Amino acid sequence: MTQPIPLHRDDPSKAPLVGNIKVTRQDWLNVAKDILISDGIEQVKILPMSDRLGVSRSSFYWYFKSRQDLLDALLDHWQQTNTAALVAKAGTPAQSVTQAVTFVFHCVVNPQIFSIPFDFAVRDWARRSATVRAVLHASEDARIAAIQAMFQRHGYPEIEALTRARILYYMQNGYNDADLQEPLEHRMKMVPHYLYGFTGRHAPQHEIDDFRAYCQAIQTGDTP
Amino acid sequence: MTQPIPLHRDDPSKAPLVGNIKVTRQDWLNVAKDILISDGIEQVKILPMSDRLGVSRSSFYWYFKSRQDLLDALLDHWQQTNTAALVAKAGTPAQSVTQAVTFVFHCVVNPQIFSIPFDFAVRDWARRSATVRAVLHASEDARIAAIQAMFQRHGYPEIEALTRARILYYMQNGYNDADLQEPLEHRMKMVPHYLYGFTGRHAPQHEIDDFRAYCQAIQTGDTP
DNA sequence: CAAGTATTGGACATAATTGTCTAGTCTTCG
DNA sequence: CGAAGACTAGACAATTATGTCCAATACTTG
């Protein structure tokens, strides 16, 4: 029993312009994502969502078989945005390791590419659902493997590449929600230290300088 | 309207030895804590708890005014165990900074003193409750301040002491639940690097050696 | 042991939530 | 325009939760 997505919304030109715009499956997913991020998965309830969308609660069941069906779709969506984005960034060819690290870090900086609150929310969710936990762990492994591969492409031996990948990845997890308010600049400045702090070596000044330049570029928006 | 704790439980010698042992306010709190840790605060529900305790659901209301009353008590309990434990450990006089750091780290290692899963669960909870968030932030400030004071007692200037305190504290948050399975040894080995990685200096070999020795002692159980 | 207090069980009321079913409306397309 | 399909509203049923009340039972103390 498939639930087709409304055709008239696929082509935006055919959609009504004002008023009476019908909700779509994606609209339900967006609201669910918002609530997941702000209040946790337990609060993703059908009645409040329908209220927010201004439609009847029972309309929900046209788009989704059940609440669980929605949650599955939500998890899929997370995997196909956040994880795919980070893996893609880690795989982007770069001229230096510093530039490559900056690409990865790009995800943390740009909410358009990667949603940190979404990641936090899914991690919460995983604490209560074994299936979500499995998806999360697979995603984390994929992310770290991608970053590790990046370091290996730039000449680091396997073990050191893995260590650096873990540090770079867990760096973002070390902050909680409150700290996300902290200026990004502060977090970016720490990256070179994270990368070298564990190896017993100093970060070369030219890498630090390069990194700062790249970060500057990220914030002004003119980076790949 | 005060809710006294059953007297016959205060003196263990007066408690029935087998069977028919009445549940106490603390029993309810323990079950609530277990559920909070494993399933999140949303799952702390009265009916399932009474089932697990083998008593009627309505008995709950003798010990607690309402569900919210239980949650408040639970949060109090967390603050008076975890936060107090860490602050006390940070305040313990030590002969060297390495030993002092080891005392703090003791909390992370010994579940009897400090429950990491409890901390994680409360952090989750704080995402959904402003009042819990306020308590959590106050606790985190108190913890970091205590660690900072420790470094200052050992001669570090204010700013560097704060930086080191943050690193030492956030180190534990960088791991998620899955990583708690990881051998403690691995985490302990990273401490000296965390402490020096950010400052651009190397950890002196004798400090690393000292730290390893203290960690060894922690695991064999013969430390203060 | 008896009286009084502490503690529990079960009935009752209320509300929130998920899910089903059906009649009806709106949209698209031949 | 008119029929088929896409979508929605509202009634209904079932489940699960919170909280109140009161009678019954267990425990303590004189």
Side-chain angles (χ1 to χ4, degrees), chain A residues 17-93:
Chain A
L17 289 183
V18 271
N20 201 21
I21 297 186
K22 288 196 178 164
V23 297
T24 64
R25 186 181 160 98
Q26 191 58 50
D27 290 331
W28 285 99
L29 274 171
N30 287 341
V31 172
K33 176 180 169 182
D34 283 352
I35 297 177
L36 168 66
I37 289 174
S38 59
D39 302 320
I41 198 65
E42 307 287 342
Q43 294 306 311
V44 176
K45 294 170 181 174
I46 299 167
L47 180 57
M49 285 196 292
S50 68
D51 281 350
R52 195 196 286 198
L53 285 169
V55 296
S56 166
R57 185 180 65 79
S58 57
S59 300
F60 171 85
Y61 293 95
W62 168 246
Y63 298 100
F64 301 93
K65 201 167 118 276
S66 65
R67 177 175 180 269
Q68 189 56 51
D69 189 27
L70 168 75
L71 301 189
D72 292 346
L74 192 56
L75 188 60
D76 266 7
H77 174 235
W78 169 78
Q79 202 178 22
Q80 287 166 19
T81 54
N82 271 20
T83 296
L86 202 148
V87 169
K89 281 288 172 185
T92 304

Side-chain angles (χ1 to χ4, degrees), chain A residues 37-40 42-43 121 124 127-128 137 140 170 173-174 176-179 190 193-194 197-198 200-202, chain B residues 37-40 42-43 121 124 127-128 137 140 170 173-174 176-179 190 193-194 197-198 200 202:
Chain A
I37 289 174
S38 59
D39 302 320
E42 307 287 342
Q43 294 306 311
D124 272 7
R127 298 187 63 247
R128 292 174 209 120
H137 285 171
E140 295 210 311
Y170 284 125
N173 297 1
N176 60 28
D177 279 318
D179 297 314
M190 288 190 164
H193 295 298
Y194 269 110
F198 280 79
R201 299 200 298 274
H202 290 258
Chain B
I37 288 174
S38 59
D39 301 321
E42 307 286 344
Q43 294 306 311
D124 272 7
R127 297 186 64 248
R128 303 189 192 104
H137 285 171
E140 295 210 311
Y170 283 125
N173 296 359
N176 59 27
D177 279 318
D179 296 314
M190 289 190 164
H193 296 298
Y194 270 109
F198 280 79
H202 290 257

Side-chain angles (χ1 to χ4, degrees), chain B residues 25-26 33-34 56 72 77 83 93 102 104 123 132 146 160 198 203 209 213-214:
Chain B
R25 186 182 158 98
Q26 191 59 49
K33 176 180 169 182
D34 283 352
S56 166
D72 291 346
H77 174 237
T83 296
T102 313
V104 173
R123 217 162 278 137
V132 174
E160 185 173 339
F198 280 79
D209 293 341
Y214 282 124

Side-chain angles (χ1 to χ4, degrees), chain B residues 92-161:
Chain B
T92 305
Q95 292 177 341
S96 69
V97 69
T98 305
Q99 191 185 37
V101 167
T102 313
F103 286 164
V104 173
F105 200 70
H106 208 153
C107 287
V108 184
V109 176
N110 191 337
Q112 299 290 330
I113 301 175
F114 186 96
S115 168
I116 296 178
F118 200 6
D119 240 50
F120 269 106
V122 170
R123 217 162 278 137
D124 272 7
W125 185 7
R127 297 186 64 248
R128 303 189 192 104
S129 158
T131 57
V132 174
R133 202 154 48 236
V135 172
L136 173 66
H137 285 171
S139 287
E140 295 210 311
D141 288 349
R143 293 169 180 198
I144 289 177
I147 301 174
Q148 178 185 13
M150 177 204 80
F151 279 118
Q152 288 189 259
R153 278 201 306 278
H154 288 275
Y156 291 85
E158 186 180 347
I159 299 297
E160 185 173 339

Side-chain angles (χ1 to χ4, degrees), chain B residues 176-197:
Chain B
N176 59 27
D177 279 318
D179 296 314
L180 294 179
Q181 313 281 343
E182 230 175 313
L184 281 168
E185 198 188 348
H186 176 237
R187 307 180 69 189
M188 290 193 291
K189 276 183 183 164
M190 289 190 164
V191 170
H193 296 298
Y194 270 109
L195 283 174
Y196 283 89

